[in-house]
Protein backbone atom coordinates (compact mmCIF):
# COMPACT_ATOMS: atom_id res chain seq x y z
CA UNK A 1 0.00 0.00 0.00
CA UNK A 2 1.34 3.40 -0.97
CA UNK A 3 2.15 5.58 2.06
CA UNK A 4 1.15 9.21 2.46
CA UNK A 5 4.10 11.60 2.07
CA UNK A 6 4.79 14.15 4.77
CA UNK A 7 5.36 16.71 2.01
CA UNK A 8 1.76 16.19 0.82
CA UNK A 9 0.46 16.58 4.35
CA UNK A 10 2.54 19.74 4.80
CA UNK A 11 0.94 21.15 1.65
CA UNK A 12 -2.56 20.35 2.94
CA UNK A 13 -1.82 22.10 6.25
CA UNK A 14 -0.42 25.16 4.46
CA UNK A 15 -3.52 25.49 2.25
CA UNK A 16 -5.82 25.15 5.26
CA UNK A 17 -3.82 27.81 7.15
CA UNK A 18 -3.57 30.23 4.19
CA UNK A 19 -7.01 29.63 2.70
CA UNK A 20 -5.48 29.71 -0.77
CA UNK A 21 -3.48 27.48 -3.11
CA UNK A 22 -1.45 30.44 -4.32
CA UNK A 23 -0.57 31.64 -0.79
CA UNK A 24 0.36 28.09 0.24
CA UNK A 25 2.64 27.82 -2.82
CA UNK A 26 4.44 31.03 -1.81
CA UNK A 27 4.74 29.93 1.80
CA UNK A 28 6.20 26.55 0.83
CA UNK A 29 8.34 27.94 -2.01
CA UNK A 30 6.65 25.60 -4.47
CA UNK A 31 5.21 26.15 -7.93
CA UNK A 32 1.38 26.37 -7.92
CA UNK A 33 1.03 23.27 -10.16
CA UNK A 34 3.07 21.30 -7.61
CA UNK A 35 0.71 22.33 -4.80
CA UNK A 36 -2.29 21.28 -6.89
CA UNK A 37 -0.62 17.95 -7.69
CA UNK A 38 0.03 17.26 -3.99
CA UNK A 39 -3.66 17.71 -3.14
CA UNK A 40 -4.79 15.66 -6.14
CA UNK A 41 -2.52 12.79 -5.04
CA UNK A 42 -3.79 13.01 -1.46
CA UNK A 43 -7.44 12.99 -2.56
CA UNK A 44 -6.80 10.00 -4.83
CA UNK A 45 -5.09 8.21 -1.94
CA UNK A 46 -7.92 9.00 0.49
CA UNK A 47 -10.72 8.56 -2.05
CA UNK A 48 -12.60 11.69 -1.03
CA UNK A 49 -12.36 15.49 -1.46
CA UNK A 50 -10.19 17.14 1.20
CA UNK A 51 -10.77 20.80 0.27
CA UNK A 52 -13.87 22.77 -0.66
CA UNK A 53 -13.35 25.60 -3.13
CA UNK A 54 -15.84 28.45 -2.90
CA UNK A 55 -15.10 31.64 -4.80
CA UNK A 56 -11.61 32.77 -3.70
CA UNK A 57 -11.74 30.84 -0.41
CA UNK A 58 -10.51 27.30 0.16
CA UNK A 59 -11.50 25.45 3.30
CA UNK A 60 -11.21 21.82 4.45
CA UNK A 61 -14.02 19.35 3.96
CA UNK A 62 -15.17 17.20 6.89
CA UNK A 63 -12.77 14.47 5.75
CA UNK A 64 -10.07 17.10 5.27
CA UNK A 65 -10.53 18.34 8.86
CA UNK A 66 -10.03 14.81 10.18
CA UNK A 67 -6.88 14.31 8.12
CA UNK A 68 -5.58 17.76 9.12
CA UNK A 69 -5.77 16.85 12.80
CA UNK A 70 -3.47 13.89 12.24
CA UNK A 71 -1.30 15.72 9.71
CA UNK A 72 -0.44 18.47 12.19
CA UNK A 73 0.45 15.87 14.84
CA UNK A 74 2.60 13.84 12.43
CA UNK A 75 4.46 16.90 11.16
CA UNK A 76 5.14 18.06 14.72
CA UNK A 77 6.43 14.60 15.72
CA UNK A 78 8.63 14.45 12.63
CA UNK A 79 10.15 17.82 13.48
CA UNK A 80 10.78 16.74 17.07
CA UNK A 81 12.45 13.55 15.83
CA UNK A 82 14.74 15.48 13.50
CA UNK A 83 15.61 17.95 16.25
CA UNK A 84 16.48 15.11 18.64
CA UNK A 85 18.72 13.54 16.00
CA UNK A 86 20.40 16.88 15.28
CA UNK A 87 21.07 17.41 18.98
CA UNK A 88 22.54 13.93 19.28
CA UNK A 89 24.79 14.46 16.26
CA UNK A 90 25.98 17.72 17.82
CA UNK A 91 26.56 16.02 21.17
CA UNK A 92 23.75 18.00 22.83
CA UNK A 93 21.45 15.06 23.47
CA UNK A 94 21.04 11.31 23.28
CA UNK A 95 20.54 8.22 25.42
CA UNK A 96 23.36 6.44 27.26
CA UNK A 97 22.77 3.07 28.98
CA UNK A 98 24.91 2.48 32.06
CA UNK A 99 25.27 -0.55 34.33
CA UNK A 100 26.61 -0.31 37.88
CA UNK A 101 26.39 -1.84 41.34
CA UNK A 102 24.18 -0.39 44.06
CA UNK A 103 27.21 1.04 45.88
CA UNK A 104 28.39 3.02 42.86
CA UNK A 105 24.86 4.18 42.08
CA UNK A 106 24.18 5.34 45.62
CA UNK A 107 27.19 7.59 46.18
CA UNK A 108 29.32 8.01 43.08
CA UNK A 109 27.10 8.11 40.03
CA UNK A 110 24.76 10.88 41.30
CA UNK A 111 27.66 13.33 41.39
CA UNK A 112 28.48 12.68 37.73
CA UNK A 113 24.80 12.86 36.75
CA UNK A 114 24.38 16.18 38.54
CA UNK A 115 27.29 17.72 36.60
CA UNK A 116 26.03 16.17 33.36
CA UNK A 117 22.51 17.53 33.84
CA UNK A 118 23.93 21.00 34.43
CA UNK A 119 26.30 21.03 31.45
CA UNK A 120 24.49 18.75 28.99
CA UNK A 121 20.80 18.52 29.95
CA UNK A 122 19.86 16.77 26.70
CA UNK A 123 21.84 13.61 27.55
CA UNK A 124 19.57 10.95 29.07
CA UNK A 125 21.39 8.36 31.21
CA UNK A 126 19.46 5.14 31.82
CA UNK A 127 20.91 3.21 34.76
CA UNK A 128 20.65 -0.55 35.35
CA UNK A 129 21.58 -2.05 38.74
CA UNK A 130 23.79 -5.03 37.89
CA UNK A 131 26.75 -7.04 39.09
CA UNK A 132 30.07 -6.52 37.34
CA UNK A 133 29.67 -9.73 35.31
CA UNK A 134 26.16 -8.76 34.21
CA UNK A 135 27.47 -5.34 33.20
CA UNK A 136 30.32 -6.75 31.13
CA UNK A 137 27.93 -9.17 29.46
CA UNK A 138 25.54 -6.30 28.65
CA UNK A 139 28.38 -4.29 27.13
CA UNK A 140 29.45 -7.24 24.97
CA UNK A 141 25.87 -7.74 23.72
CA UNK A 142 25.41 -4.05 22.98
CA UNK A 143 22.71 -3.71 25.65
CA UNK A 144 24.83 -1.18 27.61
CA UNK A 145 27.14 1.67 26.64
CA UNK A 146 29.13 2.15 29.88
CA UNK A 147 29.72 0.03 32.97
CA UNK A 148 31.14 0.65 36.42
CA UNK A 149 32.76 -2.67 37.41
CA UNK A 150 34.83 -4.06 40.23
CA UNK A 151 38.49 -4.75 39.46
CA UNK A 152 40.34 -6.82 38.55
CA UNK A 153 38.45 -8.34 35.60
CA UNK A 154 39.48 -10.89 33.02
CA UNK A 155 39.98 -9.07 29.69
CA UNK A 156 36.94 -9.27 27.39
CA UNK A 157 37.50 -8.98 23.63
CA UNK A 158 36.08 -5.77 22.24
CA UNK A 159 35.81 -4.04 25.63
CA UNK A 160 38.00 -1.39 27.24
CA UNK A 161 38.26 -1.58 31.05
CA UNK A 162 40.34 1.05 32.83
CA UNK A 163 40.92 1.72 36.56
CA UNK A 164 38.69 4.48 37.88
CA UNK A 165 38.68 4.68 41.69
CA UNK A 166 40.33 3.08 44.70
CA UNK A 167 38.36 3.40 47.95
CA UNK A 168 39.01 1.84 51.38
CA UNK A 169 36.83 -0.94 52.72
CA UNK A 170 35.79 -0.09 56.28
CA UNK A 171 34.20 -2.00 59.15
CA UNK A 172 30.67 -0.65 59.82
CA UNK A 173 29.47 -1.61 63.30
CA UNK A 174 26.67 -0.71 65.75
CA UNK A 175 27.71 2.41 67.66
CA UNK A 176 27.26 0.75 71.07
CA UNK A 177 30.00 -1.77 70.32
CA UNK A 178 33.49 -1.01 71.62
CA UNK A 179 35.74 -1.90 68.67
CA UNK A 180 39.50 -1.32 68.53
CA UNK A 181 40.84 1.68 66.62
CA UNK A 182 41.77 -0.63 63.73
CA UNK A 183 39.72 -3.77 63.26
CA UNK A 184 41.49 -7.05 62.53
CA UNK A 185 40.04 -10.09 60.80
CA UNK A 186 40.40 -12.12 64.04
CA UNK A 187 38.37 -9.59 66.05
CA UNK A 188 35.72 -9.12 63.38
CA UNK A 189 35.27 -12.86 62.73
CA UNK A 190 34.16 -13.25 66.34
CA UNK A 191 31.28 -10.80 65.81
CA UNK A 192 27.91 -11.34 64.10
CA UNK A 193 28.42 -10.36 60.46
CA UNK A 194 26.34 -9.00 57.57
CA UNK A 195 28.24 -9.59 54.34
CA UNK A 196 27.69 -9.11 50.63
CA UNK A 197 26.32 -12.13 48.80
CA UNK A 198 28.63 -14.51 46.95
CA UNK A 199 27.74 -13.13 43.49
CA UNK A 200 29.67 -9.90 44.14
CA UNK A 201 33.33 -9.06 43.76
CA UNK A 202 33.24 -7.48 47.25
CA UNK A 203 32.24 -10.84 48.73
CA UNK A 204 35.28 -12.53 47.19
CA UNK A 205 37.48 -9.62 48.28
CA UNK A 206 36.39 -9.80 51.92
CA UNK A 207 36.58 -13.61 52.00
CA UNK A 208 40.18 -13.41 50.81
CA UNK A 209 40.92 -10.81 53.50
CA UNK A 210 39.53 -13.09 56.22
CA UNK A 211 41.25 -16.16 54.73
CA UNK A 212 44.65 -14.44 54.76
CA UNK A 213 44.27 -14.26 58.54
CA UNK A 214 43.11 -17.87 58.79
CA UNK A 215 39.47 -16.91 59.36
CA UNK A 216 36.34 -18.26 57.64
CA UNK A 217 33.41 -16.57 59.40
CA UNK A 218 29.80 -17.56 58.70
CA UNK A 219 27.67 -14.41 58.25
CA UNK A 220 24.24 -14.06 59.79
CA UNK A 221 22.92 -12.82 56.44
CA UNK A 222 24.24 -12.06 52.95
CA UNK A 223 22.85 -9.18 50.89
CA UNK A 224 23.67 -7.23 47.76
CA UNK A 225 22.10 -3.93 48.74
CA UNK A 226 24.37 -1.46 50.53
CA UNK A 227 21.68 0.67 52.18
CA UNK A 228 19.88 -2.42 53.53
CA UNK A 229 23.17 -3.67 55.00
CA UNK A 230 23.78 -0.31 56.70
CA UNK A 231 20.24 -0.29 58.07
CA UNK A 232 20.78 -3.71 59.64
CA UNK A 233 24.06 -2.51 61.15
CA UNK A 234 22.25 0.53 62.61
CA UNK A 235 19.65 -1.80 64.08
CA UNK A 236 22.43 -3.69 65.90
CA UNK A 237 22.12 -6.87 63.84
CA UNK A 238 25.82 -7.14 63.10
CA UNK A 239 28.93 -5.66 61.48
CA UNK A 240 29.61 -5.23 57.78
CA UNK A 241 32.58 -4.64 55.49
CA UNK A 242 31.76 -1.95 52.95
CA UNK A 243 33.65 0.53 50.79
CA UNK A 244 33.58 4.12 51.99
CA UNK A 245 33.95 6.87 49.41
CA UNK A 246 35.35 10.20 50.59
CA UNK A 247 32.29 11.99 49.22
CA UNK A 248 29.75 9.64 50.82
CA UNK A 249 27.57 11.14 53.58
CA UNK A 250 28.34 10.40 57.21
CA UNK A 251 26.79 7.13 58.42
CA UNK A 252 23.75 6.90 60.65
CA UNK A 253 24.71 8.03 64.21
CA UNK A 254 23.86 4.49 65.34
CA UNK A 255 26.75 3.23 63.17
CA UNK A 256 30.47 3.59 63.80
CA UNK A 257 33.24 3.07 61.23
CA UNK A 258 36.76 1.75 61.73
CA UNK A 259 39.61 1.11 59.27
CA UNK A 260 40.75 -2.46 58.78
CA UNK A 261 44.09 -4.00 59.79
CA UNK A 262 45.59 -4.81 57.33
CA UNK A 263 43.93 -2.29 55.01
CA UNK A 264 41.56 -3.50 52.30
CA UNK A 265 40.67 -1.59 49.13
CA UNK A 266 37.78 -1.73 46.70
CA UNK A 267 38.85 -0.87 43.15
CA UNK A 268 36.38 0.16 40.45
CA UNK A 269 36.90 0.47 36.73
CA UNK A 270 35.05 2.06 33.83
CA UNK A 271 34.19 -0.28 30.97
CA UNK A 272 32.91 0.49 27.48
CA UNK A 273 33.15 -0.91 24.00
CA UNK A 274 36.51 -0.33 22.33
CA UNK A 275 36.77 2.00 19.37
CA UNK A 276 35.18 5.33 18.54
CA UNK A 277 32.33 6.37 20.84
CA UNK A 278 29.34 8.55 20.06
CA UNK A 279 29.31 12.03 21.55
CA UNK A 280 26.70 11.42 24.36
CA UNK A 281 28.62 8.36 25.60
CA UNK A 282 31.86 10.34 25.61
CA UNK A 283 30.19 13.14 27.61
CA UNK A 284 29.08 10.67 30.29
CA UNK A 285 32.57 9.16 30.39
CA UNK A 286 34.09 12.62 30.79
CA UNK A 287 31.78 13.34 33.75
CA UNK A 288 32.75 10.02 35.36
CA UNK A 289 36.48 10.54 34.86
CA UNK A 290 36.24 13.89 36.64
CA UNK A 291 35.22 11.90 39.74
CA UNK A 292 38.36 9.83 39.61
CA UNK A 293 40.04 9.67 42.98
CA UNK A 294 43.07 7.54 43.79
CA UNK A 295 43.51 6.98 47.49
CA UNK A 296 46.73 5.28 48.44
Amino acid sequence: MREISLDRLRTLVAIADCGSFAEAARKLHLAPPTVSLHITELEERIGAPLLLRKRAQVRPSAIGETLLKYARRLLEEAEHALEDVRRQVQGLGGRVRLGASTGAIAYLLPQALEALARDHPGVDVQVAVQTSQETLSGLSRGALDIGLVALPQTPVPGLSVKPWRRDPVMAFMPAHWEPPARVSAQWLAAQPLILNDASTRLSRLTNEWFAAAGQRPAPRIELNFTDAIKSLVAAGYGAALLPHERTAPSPDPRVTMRPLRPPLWRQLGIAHRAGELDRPTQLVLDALWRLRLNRK
Side-chain angles (χ1 to χ4, degrees):
M1 181 181 291
R2 189 161 51 91
E3 302 296 336
I4 294 177
S5 163
L6 289 178
D7 287 337
R8 274 59 174 168
L9 295 178
R10 190 173 288 106
T11 298
L12 177 64
V13 170
I15 294 172
D17 291 343
C18 297
S20 161
F21 275 65
E23 286 298 323
R26 281 191 286 271
K27 178 179 180 180
L28 297 173
H29 304 289
L30 296 175
T34 301
V35 170
S36 297
L37 178 62
H38 284 182
I39 298 305
T40 298
E41 291 178 346
L42 270 179
E43 290 181 333
E44 289 176 352
R45 177 71 176 80
I46 298 298
L50 298 174
L51 297 169
L52 303 176
R53 303 159 179 83
K54 289 189 176 180
R55 299 193 183 101
Q57 183 70 26
V58 179
R59 61 183 181 84
S61 66
I63 298 297
E65 287 285 6
T66 300
L67 183 57
L68 276 166
K69 178 178 67 175
Y70 291 103
R72 294 184 192 279
R73 187 183 307 166
L74 286 169
L75 291 169
E76 183 179 0
E77 287 295 323
E79 185 58 36
H80 285 167
L82 288 174
E83 180 60 26
D84 283 347
V85 171
R86 289 190 203 103
R87 290 178 60 81
Q88 186 164 348
V89 169
Q90 296 167 2
L92 301 175
R95 183 186 66 172
V96 177
R97 302 159 301 174
L98 185 147
S101 67
T102 55
I105 289 172
Y107 303 119
L108 300 174
L109 188 57
Q111 299 171 68
L113 295 182
E114 182 180 9
L116 193 70
R118 181 183 64 247
D119 300 333
H120 304 284
V123 176
D124 174 32
V125 181
Q126 298 185 347
V127 180
V129 181
Q130 298 183 338
T131 65
S132 294
Q133 289 307 307
E134 290 171 338
T135 294
L136 292 174
S137 176
L139 287 168
S140 296
R141 298 194 318 269
L144 294 173
D145 302 301
I146 299 173
L148 302 181
V149 299
L151 297 181
Q153 293 289 340
T154 302
V156 179
L159 297 186
S160 169
V161 182
K162 296 179 180 178
W164 179 43
R165 290 181 59 102
R166 183 171 180 261
D167 295 297
V169 176
M170 306 282 283
F172 286 70
M173 298 161 290
H176 64 270
W177 288 13
E178 297 181 359
R182 291 185 175 272
V183 175
S184 68
Q186 290 85 353
W187 187 90
L188 202 56
Q191 316 304 321
L193 294 175
I194 308 162
L195 299 180
N196 279 77
D197 70 51
S199 67
T200 65
R201 174 72 64 174
L202 184 60
S203 173
R204 293 191 288 276
L205 192 66
T206 53
N207 284 338
E208 290 169 1
W209 182 78
F210 278 115
Q215 303 295 321
R216 296 186 181 275
R220 298 185 74 179
I221 187 172
E222 293 182 342
L223 297 172
N224 188 20
F225 188 53
T226 301
D227 285 345
I229 292 175
K230 290 182 178 179
S231 293
L232 287 172
V233 174
Y237 191 70
L241 292 175
L242 295 170
H244 181 66
E245 301 84 5
R246 184 181 299 173
T247 54
S250 299
D252 186 303
R254 295 173 296 168
V255 175
T256 187
M257 281 192 308
R258 292 288 190 276
L260 301 181
R261 190 183 79 242
L264 182 62
W265 299 88
R266 188 277 307 271
Q267 293 182 301
L268 290 178
I270 295 180
H272 57 80
R273 287 185 295 280
E276 187 174 355
L277 302 173
D278 60 46
R279 181 64 174 159
T281 299
Q282 188 60 58
L283 289 173
V284 177
L285 285 173
D286 291 344
L288 290 169
W289 283 116
R290 284 194 289 271
L291 283 181
R292 183 174 183 174
L293 177 64
N294 289 317
R295 299 179 66 174
K296 300 181 179 178

